[in-house]
Amino acid sequence: MRYDLVDLRLFLHIAETGSITSAAALSGLALASASARVKGMEETLGTRLLERQRRGVKLTAAGDTLVHHARTIQNQIAIMAGELGAHAAGLRARVKLVANTGAATGPLQELLSDFLAHHHVIDVELEERPSHIVVEMVASGAADLGIAASWAGFSNLDQRIFCTDQLAVITARNAERFAGLRSLRLDQVLDEPFVGLSAGNALQEHLIRQSARLGRHLKFRIRVATPEVVCRFVADGIGVAIIPEAVVRTVSFRNRLHSIPLADDWALRDLHLCARDFANLTPQASLLSKWLLPDEHSPGDLQRRSGMYTD
């Protein structure tokens, strides 16, 4: 049975995206070459690995088995890279981290930047996903580490607190109708025009679901790609937005914004770093996990990460 690492990496990308076209692009292969590699694997095995559907592909039982072993091999290569240490010159290792919007757009950015600056042979693949998908990906082995809100449920995963995430209603500083308010509930702002994040964004989909539970919907004037652009439109008076409070503190024009904590019980969340087992991470993933966790969960560090302080 002949497989190479390119085949296995390609198949893992297919499993993650559900598309041979997308997987080929991620693997740096032409579509024809990717399709030929999949066909070659199926011919070698003598069984189908994928079921072709109208939109993308679905793994067969044999495909699921191949994914399991491909991830094991990928992890073993990462372990080898770490254990070879100085003898592994030029052999890079990659850690896959999935995080919800609150973490991906908040304190995680600075922490990852510092980590990468100190660990030149470790690469980090960061992917933003809803909290429940984060948990599923870590549990299945599709990601080494994840950061998710506590409501997602961590089942049998190993998890430790990463930071506190407070969602807030963001308005223009000169919006008089919001002046002096110390908190707001979601139902109090649903008549307002909204500036939102793009379709599929984890936080935005969460807010849409919460609005639907109230029998209402968000009225978007515009939807944009990043929280910083959301803040820019809000500062210009286009509408209001709901984003993590810590994000506001990262924008250079924050003096043009007014941040009001959202009072709904789901708006203040503990975010947890999770893994299948912290004790059995690859050396590189273990280094990253220790870098991300606050020292002994000190209240001061957690407060700094959450952004819950005054300027």
Side-chain angles (χ1 to χ4, degrees):
M1 193 175 296
R2 298 176 59 189
Y3 298 118
D4 61 27
L5 294 178
V6 176
D7 289 337
L8 298 181
R9 189 179 302 111
L10 169 66
F11 203 76
L12 287 175
H13 285 317
I14 293 173
E16 292 171 7
T17 64
S19 165
I20 296 176
T21 301
S22 298
L26 289 170
S27 302
L29 299 171
L31 177 58
S33 176
S35 297
R37 283 179 175 274
V38 173
K39 183 178 179 181
M41 286 189 283
E42 290 181 325
E43 289 177 349
T44 300
L45 271 175
T47 187
R48 293 175 64 188
L49 299 171
L50 302 172
E51 293 179 2
R52 277 70 174 177
Q53 300 180 324
R54 289 186 61 187
R55 294 186 177 181
V57 293
K58 180 182 179 182
L59 299 184
T60 64
D64 281 329
T65 300
L66 178 57
V67 164
H68 169 74
H69 288 289
R71 285 177 179 149
T72 300
I73 292 169
Q74 189 178 59
N75 287 338
Q76 286 300 117
I77 291 172
I79 291 171
M80 178 183 69
E83 292 181 349
L84 284 173
H87 299 289
L91 185 59
R92 304 187 67 83
R94 178 174 296 271
V95 179
K96 183 159 186 178
L97 170 66
V98 286
N100 72 354
T101 303
T105 59
L108 190 57
Q109 294 184 9
E110 182 178 352
L111 289 166
L112 284 180
S113 180
D114 289 344
F115 177 81
L116 292 169
H118 283 81
H119 299 86
H120 300 288
V121 297
I122 302 177
D123 299 327
V124 176
E125 180 181 352
L126 175 62
E127 189 172 319
E128 184 180 334
R129 290 294 187 96
S131 287
H132 69 284
I133 299 296
V134 169
V135 171
E136 290 175 6
M137 290 181 69
V138 174
S140 69
D144 300 294
L145 297 166
I147 301 177
S150 53
W151 61 262
F154 294 95
S155 186
N156 295 322
L157 294 179
D158 203 351
Q159 49 86 22
R160 299 167 188 175
I161 193 166
F162 170 67
C163 73
T164 300
D165 178 40
Q166 171 68 63
L167 295 179
V169 178
I170 309 301
T171 73
R173 175 70 72 178
N174 59 2
E176 295 182 0
R177 62 190 178 281
F178 296 108
L181 294 177
R182 299 183 64 85
S183 66
L184 279 168
R185 298 187 313 275
L186 178 62
D187 64 330
Q188 292 177 292
V189 294
L190 288 177
D191 289 330
E192 298 291 328
F194 266 78
V195 179
L197 290 160
S198 302
N201 175 272
L203 173 60
Q204 200 62 72
E205 296 305 312
H206 179 57
L207 294 173
I208 289 171
R209 288 194 296 272
Q210 293 296 339
S211 302
R213 290 175 182 174
L214 297 173
R216 306 284 297 280
H217 64 275
L218 300 177
K219 302 171 184 176
F220 292 109
R221 291 207 64 197
I222 188 170
R223 299 181 72 168
V224 296
T226 68
E228 182 176 2
V229 179
V230 167
C231 290
R232 176 71 65 182
F233 277 95
V234 171
D236 290 340
I238 304 305
V240 304
I242 296 176
I243 60 175
E245 194 173 58
V247 172
V248 181
R249 302 180 184 278
T250 68
V251 299
S252 60
F253 49 90
R254 56 186 176 275
N255 61 325
R256 296 175 54 201
L257 299 167
H258 182 36
S259 176
I260 308 168
L262 198 61
D264 300 79
D265 57 6
W266 45 266
L268 179 62
R269 299 107 39 99
D270 283 337
L271 300 187
H272 293 255
L273 180 69
C274 60
R276 285 189 290 179
D277 183 357
F278 283 108
N280 289 315
L281 289 170
T282 65
Q284 297 80 18
S286 181
L287 277 173
L288 179 57
S289 71
K290 292 172 183 176
W291 192 277
L292 295 179
L293 289 170
D295 294 336
E296 300 178 356
H297 308 305
S298 64
D301 197 19
L302 287 173
Q303 189 178 54
R304 175 182 64 78
R305 291 172 179 227
S306 68
M308 295 178 66
Y309 53 85
T310 56
D311 293 327

